Amino acid sequence: MHVLIIGAGGFIGRHLAGRLVAEGVRVTAAGRAPERLERLIPGAAALRCDLTQDDIGDWRRRLIGVDAVVNCAGLFGDTRGYADVHERGPAALFDACRATGVGHVVQISALGADARAASAYHRSKAAADDHLAAIDPAGSVMGWTVLRPSLVIGRGGRSSALFAALAALPVMPRLAQAGGLVQPIHVDDLVEVVIRLLRAPLPLAKRLDVVGPHAMTTDALTACFRQWLGLLPAWGFTVPQLVLAAVARIGIGPVTREGMAMLAAGNAAASAPMVLATGHLPAPLHQALARHPAIDADLRQARLVPVAPVLRLMLALVWLAGGIVPLVFTPQATSAAWLARVGLTDMPATAVLWAGSMADIAIGLALLVRSRGAALAGIVLMTAYTLILTRIAPELWTDPFGALVKNAAVLGLSLAVYALETRHG
């Protein structure tokens, strides 16, 4: 069997591709960065695709020799991209699958996907689901399955990052009325469901809610993650709705307004139809998490999630102050005296002052808008500043206010921010 996975570089796609490759299945991973996919998924072939641009003709050429297609592609929080990535792009893919004789298509949708849903995310997912179901309603020519998972838990998932971060706080935040019932399923169980469906005899035409065996509150889910992280039970407090709304608006870590709204609406369903269709009973969450014991890196990551944006903000303020203060608040004579020590006077001195200040401000602004590489540029510039000042004014190392010693702290903060922003190239 040759399986093409769209969105193979994402959370679910990578877990599915890795499992299929390990079982000897021929896998082609599709995404916008095939070179990255080849590194991330050893043993899989890779091809370039872009759901925002590719049409049915592009897909027909790629689908030659493909037996099954799994669409794992998805966005969350970027409402402007929903129409292309969730609707038009998958529709072209599904039409091409029907035209080229692909045997089975699995669409990874979302629990709650409905044309009348309040969430734009759910409405866009439902549009693709309906299009797939309408191509061959009975699945007699091309088998199809729409899987609608609840919260999918596992390393690398947004939901796991959010609830692990909440669980790792010194006190346990309760989401009050913001959290309805959820029915999480571990990504291993979702992958098992997909594989069983890929191997099921055709015809097949089903929509299945993919959920764990038990519904729970978001507070119980957070407590489950705290136990997994090896932390003792902690005192809890109810987070006011206004605070939750403000945090979601700022977008701290994985918290978004759309995500909080979806949690408030609830995310639970009956698991019996899925179990009947696949013969697989997902494990309760605490057992599923226990299959992958937490390590020190998991706890560090959980604690860094809420801290990372604060570190970036603090570093940005340092750079903005470094650029604005010399131009606005420092006496011109003071700046001129310092520049004269390196042989710069008059117009050259003014030019260097403005160039340095503008560079500092640019790095500060780049950090605020989360430009990749901003922290690295700051490391280079701060190192240069430190070397120059050490050369012309070594006495600053013994300054009682730590004029140069503080540069070491800024460099350390810059290294931390750079490490947190690094992604697979």
Side-chain angles (χ1 to χ4, degrees):
M1 180 168 57
H2 180 191
V3 179
L4 173 64
I5 302 175
I6 315 302
F11 167 52
I12 295 172
R14 286 178 64 182
H15 280 270
L16 175 61
R19 169 77 182 276
L20 288 172
V21 169
E23 294 190 2
V25 176
R26 181 184 174 192
V27 174
T28 297
R32 286 182 292 182
E35 300 83 3
R36 173 177 178 266
L37 291 175
E38 288 178 347
R39 295 196 304 271
L40 294 178
I41 312 170
L47 63 81
R48 187 184 308 277
C49 74
D50 188 343
L51 289 174
T52 66
Q53 299 180 3
D54 297 339
D55 58 24
I56 186 172
D58 297 318
W59 285 113
R60 291 184 69 164
R61 291 189 294 272
R62 298 165 181 157
L63 292 170
I64 297 173
V66 171
D67 300 303
V69 169
V70 183
N71 180 32
C72 299
L75 298 174
F76 189 78
D78 182 7
T79 56
R80 294 172 299 178
Y82 287 167
D84 288 327
V85 177
H86 291 174
E87 297 181 47
R88 287 192 291 269
L93 168 65
F94 301 153
D95 289 341
C97 289
R98 176 68 169 79
T100 55
V102 170
H104 193 179
V105 174
V106 177
Q107 157 78 343
I108 305 296
S109 184
L111 189 62
D114 188 276
R116 298 176 298 278
S119 162
Y121 174 84
H122 282 141
R123 293 195 301 272
S124 64
K125 281 290 189 179
D129 301 348
D130 294 341
H131 186 92
L132 175 60
I135 292 175
D136 185 3
S140 56
V141 176
M142 180 185 75
W144 58 267
T145 315
V146 173
L147 299 182
R148 298 184 293 208
S150 179
L151 293 180
V152 183
I153 299 302
R155 285 195 178 100
R158 293 177 63 97
S159 299
S160 296
L162 169 59
F163 286 99
L166 293 175
L169 293 173
V171 293
M172 287 277 287
R174 293 190 292 267
L175 300 184
Q177 300 302 314
L181 289 178
V182 295
Q183 205 161 338
I185 183 170
H186 197 276
V187 68
D188 289 351
D189 290 307
L190 173 57
V191 166
E192 179 65 27
V193 167
V194 173
I195 290 176
R196 291 191 179 207
L197 289 169
L198 289 176
R199 291 172 174 165
L202 299 177
L204 192 64
K206 290 183 179 293
R207 300 191 196 212
L208 295 173
D209 294 332
V210 184
V211 295
H214 305 303
M216 61 178 65
T217 65
T218 53
D219 295 339
L221 177 56
T222 305
C224 194
F225 267 96
R226 189 171 181 89
Q227 182 182 35
W228 176 68
L229 290 169
L231 299 173
L232 294 173
W235 174 77
F237 70 100
T238 299
V239 182
Q241 286 277 49
L242 289 176
V243 174
L244 284 173
V247 171
R249 182 177 294 275
I250 296 170
I252 296 178
V255 180
T256 64
R257 283 181 289 178
E258 189 170 33
M260 296 305 296
M262 290 166 65
L263 284 177
N267 209 245
S271 61
M274 177 201 65
V275 176
L276 182 63
T278 65
H280 179 66
L281 178 64
L285 181 60
H286 68 279
Q287 293 181 4
L289 288 173
R291 293 194 300 239
H292 304 276
I295 58 177
D296 290 345
D298 293 308
L299 182 57
R300 283 196 296 268
Q301 176 64 26
R303 286 175 169 164
L304 279 172
V305 166
V307 173
V310 177
L311 296 180
R312 178 179 288 273
L313 176 61
M314 292 170 61
L315 185 60
L317 292 176
V318 169
W319 281 106
L320 289 173
I324 294 171
V325 168
L327 294 180
V328 179
F329 300 104
T330 303
Q332 185 176 359
T334 301
S335 298
W338 275 103
L339 290 168
R341 297 182 66 171
V342 291
L344 296 172
T345 58
D346 300 326
M347 286 300 296
T350 302
V352 168
L353 175 64
W354 276 87
S357 294
M358 290 298 101
D360 289 3
I361 293 171
I363 290 175
L365 293 175
L367 286 164
L368 287 178
V369 300
R370 302 182 182 183
S371 295
R372 187 175 180 181
L376 182 59
I379 291 170
V380 173
L381 193 56
M382 181 59 71
T383 301
Y385 287 162
T386 303
L387 292 175
I388 292 171
L389 288 172
T390 299
R391 172 67 177 173
I392 65 173
E395 67 275 9
L396 290 178
W397 283 105
T398 58
D399 186 279
F401 294 103
L404 273 183
V405 172
K406 291 175 182 176
N407 282 9
V410 175
L411 282 170
L413 178 59
S414 301
L415 287 169
V417 172
Y418 174 67
L420 289 171
E421 77 177 7
T422 299
R423 297 289 184 269
H424 297 286

